Amino acid sequence: MSASPTPPLRALLRRMPKAELHLHIEGSLEPELIFRLAARNGVELPYADVQALRAAYAFTDLQSFLDLYYAGASVLLKEEDFFDMAWAYFERAAADNVVHAEIFFDPQTHTARGVPLAAVIHGLAHACRRAHAEFGIGSALILCFLRHLTEDEALATLEEALPHRQHFIGVGLDSSERGHPPEKFARVFARARELGLHCVAHAGEEGPAAYIETALDLLQVERIDHGVRCTESPALVQRLAQQRVPLTVCPLSNVKLCVYPDLAAHPLPTLLDAGLCVTVNSDDPAYFGGYVVDNFLALFEAHPHLGLAQARQLALNSFEASFASDARKARWRRELEAVIERLAT
Ligand code: ADE
Ligand code: ZN
């Protein structure tokens, strides 16, 4: 069963303040911008035009997506390219009433092509500053290690990033999950913790529930990205609920990458009901058919029993799960209640 959310509920999903906590900035690169940057930088693409590229966005699993995602990122060469990409995201985020974004970036995808890490970080940080000045959106960068590469390469990347320490708040772990368990990165996460960085990791997207446990126990992460396969272990679901471990869930991504056949089969509503701190996010919005409000709308359409109470809880969860200060969280909660009240009258 599916039904469009009522107009007041749609308005709430759009207008309520929300934090986005699982967004790969390279996954916000729309085909139009890919072609514009390719022309600007003289990069040749193996697609005739925007339509041909978009037509290739038919994924069968995570790896089939990652192959295209890394190809798309090949047009990013200069500091202004990273600025333009992030600025385009912030314009969409402002329209979705995102008040705070914790943004992943993949330095190794760029440094492997000879792009200086300073160009990556300065371009992104410039967009973050301008988003705060123009839209009032707070943001922070999270440096992700590519898990298909070695831990020594991750350690080298972390050391190389240290001169830019003031520009990122934490580290994450992404890319091909199967066959690359969290324990492969125990030393680099220990080093990140020693440096006072926040730690998060993708786990339980395509990989088993056991990866969620090892990410928590061995990497000591504060949040799990995706985590949906926790449903395979009732004991783990209970632990996640009891400890309020946030799961940054990405509904449209999970359907596009064939983790679930459709949104009706998505477990987010069940996990929310079970008391887990689940949040709604867009992952790679340019590739998966929508930004964060699109994810909310599609999820609520596929699960018609979701209403105002769940919308409110999901916004509250996004604040709770963020690494922002308690004062900012308290302000967003007041803004949320004001929006709910305004829409009710
Ligand atoms: N990198 C970008 N998107 C990703 C995802 N959904 N899973 C793992 N790595 C990613
Ligand atoms: Zn992701």
Side-chain angles (χ1 to χ4, degrees):
M1 190 176 52
S2 81
S4 201
T6 61
L9 184 54
R10 294 177 73 83
L12 176 62
L13 293 171
R14 177 162 297 285
R15 288 193 219 158
M16 67 184 186
K18 54 187 76 67
E20 175 145 60
L21 307 176
H22 185 158
L23 177 279
H24 302 264
I25 199 64
E26 294 89 347
S28 73
L29 204 45
E30 294 284 349
E32 289 78 5
L33 187 52
I34 290 180
F35 271 86
R36 199 142 53 79
L37 295 179
R40 190 158 94 187
N41 290 329
V43 174
E44 242 191 85
L45 292 169
Y47 297 92
D49 52 27
V50 164
Q51 285 73 23
L53 177 56
R54 223 182 261 287
Y57 292 1
F59 311 116
T60 50
D61 60 8
L62 175 58
Q63 193 58 52
S64 66
F65 154 68
L66 290 171
D67 293 342
L68 247 103
Y69 164 84
Y70 295 129
S74 69
V75 300
L76 298 160
L77 296 182
K78 308 211 177 73
E79 181 175 325
E80 59 261 37
D81 304 336
F82 291 90
F83 172 84
D84 289 347
M85 170 174 65
W87 185 248
Y89 165 70
F90 281 121
E91 288 183 318
R92 303 293 296 255
D96 280 359
N97 287 300
V98 170
V99 291
H100 177 76
E102 291 175 10
I103 296 176
F104 296 139
F105 70 109
D106 288 340
Q108 291 160 296
T109 299
H110 313 299
T111 53
R113 297 178 291 112
V115 177
L117 187 53
V120 179
I121 294 184
H122 290 158
L124 298 178
H126 179 194
C128 291
R129 284 194 303 277
R130 187 161 154 200
H132 190 250
E134 282 199 25
F135 299 132
I137 299 178
S139 58
L141 297 172
I142 297 179
L143 181 159
C144 284
F145 305 118
L146 298 180
R147 68 202 302 159
H148 65 273
L149 301 179
T150 67
E151 185 179 43
D152 282 342
E153 287 167 301
L155 279 162
T157 299
L158 180 55
E159 296 308 318
E160 191 187 344
L162 287 186
H164 311 286
R165 170 70 184 82
Q166 76 274 23
H167 292 303
F168 60 99
I169 61 159
V171 298
L173 187 61
D174 64 4
S175 189
S176 324
E177 186 181 7
R178 281 201 209 108
H180 301 286
E183 50 269 36
K184 179 176 161 187
F185 295 92
R187 286 182 301 140
V188 72
F189 272 74
R191 172 83 179 119
R193 290 198 310 276
E194 211 174 78
L195 291 163
L197 288 158
H198 287 293
C199 292
V200 301
H202 283 54
E205 177 187 16
E206 273 192 349
Y211 283 16
I212 299 172
E213 289 175 310
T214 47
L216 291 172
D217 295 335
L218 300 180
L219 305 188
Q220 296 179 35
V221 298
E222 298 155 86
R223 292 197 300 245
I224 296 287
D225 298 310
H226 293 293
V228 286
R229 285 192 60 192
C230 68
T231 55
E232 291 163 23
S233 164
L236 177 59
V237 169
Q238 202 180 11
R239 173 185 178 183
L240 295 171
Q242 253 162 20
Q243 299 179 354
R244 291 288 289 167
V245 176
L247 303 186
T248 63
V249 179
C250 308
L252 287 174
S253 164
N254 293 152
V255 173
K256 283 282 178 230
L257 301 189
C258 306
V259 177
Y260 301 104
D262 53 38
L263 279 178
H266 199 283
L268 188 147
T270 308
L271 295 172
L272 185 65
D273 257 7
L276 275 74
C277 185
V278 289
T279 67
V280 172
N281 308 270
S282 65
D283 206 8
D284 300 284
Y287 291 89
F288 299 150
Y291 288 75
V292 68
V293 167
D294 301 311
N295 273 269
F296 273 105
L297 289 170
L299 182 74
F300 277 60
E301 181 162 338
H303 296 268
H305 75 281
L306 297 176
L308 185 151
Q310 288 82 8
R312 179 173 176 275
Q313 190 60 51
L314 286 165
L316 289 172
N317 287 354
S318 76
F319 306 151
E320 178 184 340
S322 84
F323 296 130
S325 69
D326 288 343
R328 293 183 65 214
K329 292 180 183 187
R331 196 176 76 215
W332 298 331
R333 282 195 294 266
R334 288 193 297 275
E335 286 170 8
L336 173 64
E337 298 313 329
V339 168
I340 291 173
E341 205 168 299
R342 250 198 329 272
L343 286 170
T345 53

